[in-house]
Structures are given as structure tokens and as C-alpha cells.
Amino acid sequence: MYADPPAPQPLQPGETPPSGGTSGVPAPGAAAAWEFNPDYQRLIVLWGQVVPLLDTLDASLDKAYRMGRSRDVWDAPVGERYVKDLTEWKARLGQYRQAILTSISDQAADTPRWIPVDAGAPHAFS
């Protein structure tokens, strides 16, 4: 089983934009107003949509796997092959989950949380 990468963090109550002295900020006086990056927010929403779907797929395979291993359902050599196939599908789903969530997490790490209102900052979906 894989551990999920870190999820993009939503805007926290009381969170404020960066001060002018942080790295990666335009020159002083270039931007006075900041906004929470809408592209970063889209990554948060995407994570929230993808994880439940992946969990549903995983639960479906788990249920079929448990039923396939039960001798009440299937007691034949073909049942063993079915369980072996389900084991492979579960491994593939774990790899897909890792790839998808890592991609979202990496993109969130590369996308600034706050952007100057009047500047063209790099965005995730450019």
C-alpha cells in the first residue's frame, strides 16, 4: 500500500498573504494587494474530487477480493486465478492512485498560494 503524498492545503481561517520581505515576491512597491491563487484553489478542489473516486474504486475491488477469497462464493481453481487477477488490479490501482495524487501534489508545490492582484504570476493551468 502506498502513502498518499501531501494534499494541497486550503486557505486557513486567519491566514494572511505573505509580507513584502519573503522570497519570491516581486520588488517592493510592485504589488500592494494579494489574492489567494485561484489556480491553487482548483488543485485543492481537484484533490477533493479525485480522492473519493479512488477510494470508491479501492472499496469495490476490496469487496470483490474478499468475496473471491471466501469459499462460500467460489471453491475452484478458477477462483484462485480470479483472486490473483484482483490482486494485480489492486496493485495497479495503488500505482495509479500514487501517480495521480503525486502529480496534483507536485503541481500544488510548484504553484504559489498567494499572487499579487496586479501581476501575472505563474499558474498551474497556464
Side-chain angles (χ1 to χ4, degrees), residues 4-110:
D4 289 345
Q9 295 300 309
L11 182 62
Q12 301 298 317
E15 184 177 349
T16 59
S19 63
T22 60
S23 62
V25 177
W34 293 85
E35 69 177 334
F36 193 73
N37 192 343
D39 292 333
Y40 191 87
Q41 181 62 37
R42 285 189 202 108
L43 292 169
I44 294 168
V45 170
L46 181 62
W47 184 280
Q49 292 171 338
V50 168
V51 169
L53 294 173
L54 292 170
D55 289 342
T56 300
L57 288 172
D58 193 43
S60 297
L61 283 177
D62 282 343
K63 180 179 179 184
Y65 179 79
R66 283 192 311 271
M67 289 176 64
R69 293 203 35 106
S70 170
R71 295 296 173 205
D72 296 337
V73 175
W74 212 334
D75 190 14
V78 72
E80 293 173 16
R81 289 192 305 268
Y82 180 73
V83 169
K84 184 179 177 185
D85 286 346
L86 281 173
T87 302
E88 177 63 29
W89 295 341
K90 285 172 59 68
R92 286 183 187 174
L93 180 59
Q95 291 171 343
Y96 293 148
R97 177 187 185 106
Q98 186 71 21
I100 291 166
L101 295 182
T102 298
S103 176
I104 296 170
S105 180
D106 288 351
Q107 190 65 50
D110 292 341

